[in-house]
Amino acid sequence: MAKRGAGPYSDERNYYFLEFLRAERLVGNGPPEGLWFADLLKQGLIGARAKVGSPDEISAKRAYLRSWGYADEGRNIQPFKPLVQGLLRWPRYDGGFTADAQHIADGVLMLVEPLYSAALFGLFAVDIFTTTGMRINEAMQIRPASDCLVRIQLLAPPEAKDQSPRIRYCLRLIPKGERTNTPHDYFIGDEQLRLMALVGKMLAEHYNLKSGEQLPAVQFNSFNHRSFRFKQKQPYLFQYNGRHLSADAITVCMRFILHGINFGTKEGKNVIVKPHLLRHVFATHAVQVLKIPVDIVGGWLKQKDIGVTEYYSAPTDSILAEHHDFLLTRFSAHIDVGKAVLRSPEELQQAYNDAEGKVGTLAQVEGGLCVSHGYCAAKFACIGCTGKVVDPQKRHQILHKKKWAQMQLEYTQKEGLYPEAQRMKQLIRDCDNEIAEMDIIEAYRRDGKRVAFIQSAHE
């Protein structure tokens, strides 16, 4: 085939590989981290390669997978096989060549696009599940279209210094159990929008779209049990190579981005992170840690049966022990709530004015953006609330609140107001947690702006 220039040796498949040789630590004395997925490539665990090789090689692959909790004795599971050509795994016919070349390479061979695309899908999935608690079937409906992504413009509160309109975004998706095909609102923040834009840009490059072209409309994944509800082709965001990603493919992308992070029970058993598990985590944290009423959490999760929400949010042992523009502006719809209110009856205008700046998505909150709407389950104690997305640009608000809490703590201790002192201690801890989260977000965004310089020398 190489002599004839056929298959993987044809001109159209003649592209560059990246070979990762080693990582070096520039600061500190600890061992260098390297790439989190290097072992998966080196041991041939991407795609269908987990069951390829000599008996000894297959046995070593199974042992590695079992060490991470992916496989029981004797099972030949393939946790990093997304069933979509070119996503995470190599394009068709190229996998064998890459695996053979890996045996004689000094470092780890990789194709950048399949890995980058899978990592970006996985990152967006983890983010959207942990901030909204939505189901994977609902996430599969996300699309940059005017009937799904809605931009809401709100009037500024009268007492605010900045009187420019407030902009909010929400995703309108059909939850499980909705029989009338009526979409429900899932409010999202700036970070989710940024990731949506990154995914959209990646797909535009993947499909070689020209400026102004929309994403391809694809059929909803036919293997999904709700596919009959979505018969019309749509420009779904979770798509690749002309195919709508299945729930399993999205889960594989999540496994890839989270690989190397230890999740386990108190008994030491590995826990594999799945979309539905993150939904449980969202509910458990809201009910058990933040003490938000279970009926409110049920509303966030779009659950009609409160008993189900109570099951989702059952306390765990660990809780008892301790607790962009790219596609968005082009495809999103726009609702000016201020103008809509002016056209509404007087009683609705009064209701809006009463709520404005006080509850849910109508409010600017301390340290971030509120993504819940309706009744304020946290009773306006926004610091530490699970219904808020932390914004590093509002760090000064958290620092101001922490300084105030420290002064109140000193006062209450002197006055012997011990319950109130405990409240101030908890508030200080919540402020520290949010400041730490802001530090992580800022570091993560700085990493995202790093530029790789590649030098190529030809003899």
Side-chain angles (χ1 to χ4, degrees):
M1 293 176 68
K3 291 178 179 178
R4 289 186 290 108
Y9 304 94
S10 60
D11 290 340
E12 59 267 23
R13 298 185 188 277
N14 188 20
Y15 38 62
Y16 287 100
F17 289 89
L18 180 66
E19 183 179 11
F20 175 74
L21 296 177
R22 67 183 181 275
E24 298 178 353
R25 180 174 291 280
L26 302 180
V27 179
N29 299 319
E33 292 293 334
L35 297 173
W36 80 90
F37 55 83
D39 285 348
L40 300 178
L41 294 172
K42 198 166 186 177
Q43 299 195 36
L45 295 171
I46 297 293
R49 307 301 300 179
K51 61 179 182 180
V52 176
S54 66
D56 289 343
E57 289 173 335
I58 295 177
S59 177
K61 291 179 181 180
R62 289 179 176 177
Y64 182 86
L65 292 175
R66 285 196 300 272
S67 70
W68 285 102
Y70 287 120
D72 297 326
E73 188 70 38
R75 295 184 62 188
N76 192 18
I77 194 170
Q78 301 179 80
F80 300 100
K81 182 181 178 182
L83 294 175
V84 179
Q85 289 293 343
L87 180 63
L88 186 59
R89 61 178 181 165
W90 317 136
R92 193 177 182 186
Y93 301 127
D94 294 357
F97 171 79
T98 309
D100 293 338
Q102 181 62 67
H103 290 299
I104 61 174
D106 294 328
V108 180
L109 293 181
M110 64 188 76
L111 294 178
V112 174
E113 183 178 353
L115 301 177
Y116 173 73
S117 302
L120 191 52
F121 279 130
L123 178 61
F124 178 57
V126 171
D127 192 279
I128 205 74
F129 291 135
T130 53
T131 55
T132 67
M134 70 172 61
R135 303 174 180 88
I136 193 167
N137 287 311
E138 291 144 16
M140 290 170 67
Q141 301 172 39
I142 296 176
R143 57 198 184 280
S146 59
D147 62 337
C148 179
L149 178 60
V150 178
R151 180 176 182 266
I152 302 174
Q153 179 173 307
L154 303 162
L155 296 175
E159 68 277 6
K161 292 182 180 180
D162 181 6
Q163 285 296 306
S164 59
R166 280 19 178 187
I167 304 300
R168 300 288 182 269
Y169 285 89
C170 75
L171 295 168
R172 289 183 170 170
L173 311 169
I174 301 175
K176 177 183 177 182
E178 176 56 61
R179 299 181 180 179
T180 63
N181 282 346
T182 301
H184 292 220
D185 291 341
Y186 296 79
F187 284 90
I188 57 177
D190 291 339
E191 183 62 17
Q192 292 74 53
L193 288 173
R194 189 184 73 87
L195 291 176
M196 285 186 67
L198 281 177
V199 173
K201 184 177 181 181
M202 176 270 291
L203 290 175
E205 294 174 350
H206 172 67
Y207 288 118
N208 295 316
L209 299 181
K210 298 179 181 179
S211 178
E213 282 189 280
Q214 295 190 10
L215 295 180
V218 297
Q219 195 68 49
F220 198 91
N221 190 272
S222 59
F223 292 101
N224 188 274
H225 68 280
R226 297 185 68 206
S227 61
F228 69 95
R229 301 285 295 273
F230 311 101
K231 296 181 180 180
Q232 185 177 356
K233 291 184 177 181
Q234 297 283 358
Y236 295 112
L237 200 63
F238 281 108
Q239 64 163 292
Y240 203 78
N241 202 16
R243 294 178 57 185
H244 187 216
L245 300 190
S246 66
D248 288 340
I250 296 173
T251 301
V252 167
C253 293
M254 290 176 52
R255 288 174 183 156
F256 177 65
I257 193 69
L258 295 174
H259 182 67
I261 302 177
N262 288 302
F263 298 100
T265 65
K266 67 174 186 178
E267 294 82 13
K269 183 179 179 180
N270 287 318
V271 173
I272 304 301
V273 176
K274 299 178 181 179
H276 207 68
L277 178 61
L278 294 183
R279 184 171 165 85
H280 280 266
V281 171
F282 179 90
T284 303
H285 181 76
V287 173
Q288 300 298 332
V289 176
L290 300 176
K291 307 302 181 185
I292 295 175
V294 68
D295 57 329
I296 300 300
V297 177
W300 288 352
L301 298 178
K302 311 299 189 253
Q303 289 173 334
K304 298 179 180 179
D305 188 345
I306 298 302
V308 175
T309 307
E310 290 175 339
Y311 164 72
Y312 271 60
S313 58
T316 63
D317 291 335
S318 61
I319 287 177
L320 295 177
E322 175 169 343
H323 93 279
H324 358 345
D325 45 339
F326 183 72
L327 289 176
L328 302 179
T329 56
R330 188 187 308 163
F331 294 128
S332 63
H334 177 83
I335 296 177
D336 190 332
V337 173
K339 292 182 180 179
V341 169
L342 293 178
R343 295 193 298 267
S344 63
E346 291 184 4
E347 61 271 19
L348 291 183
Q349 292 186 37
Q350 184 60 44
Y352 172 81
N353 292 332
D354 291 342
E356 183 182 16
K358 298 186 177 75
V359 295
T361 52
L362 301 181
Q364 289 278 358
V365 298
E366 288 180 308
L369 173 69
C370 181
V371 293
S372 62
H373 60 296
Y375 172 75
C376 180
K379 297 181 180 178
F380 309 108
C382 299
I383 295 178
C385 176
T386 192
K388 182 184 76 177
V389 176
V390 172
D391 183 359
Q393 294 183 354
K394 297 184 177 181
R395 178 189 294 267
H396 64 282
Q397 296 177 352
I398 303 301
L399 292 175
H400 182 270
K401 191 74 170 186
K402 179 181 176 181
K403 184 177 180 180
W404 173 85
Q406 290 171 332
M407 294 173 59
Q408 287 297 109
L409 175 61
E410 183 178 352
Y411 170 78
T412 52
Q413 287 177 332
K414 287 182 179 178
E415 295 293 322
L417 304 174
Y418 299 114
E420 184 65 17
Q422 286 299 113
R423 264 197 351 105
M424 292 301 105
K425 289 180 180 179
Q426 182 60 50
L427 179 56
I428 293 171
R429 287 193 291 268
D430 289 339
C431 288
D432 287 337
N433 288 337
E434 292 202 359
I435 291 171
E437 187 175 349
M438 290 177 179
D439 291 339
I440 293 172
I441 292 173
E442 289 178 336
Y444 154 71
R445 290 177 177 173
R446 286 196 301 270
D447 286 343
K449 294 180 180 179
R450 293 182 185 273
V451 178
F453 296 93
I454 300 176
Q455 293 179 330
S456 177
H458 297 280
E459 296 182 356

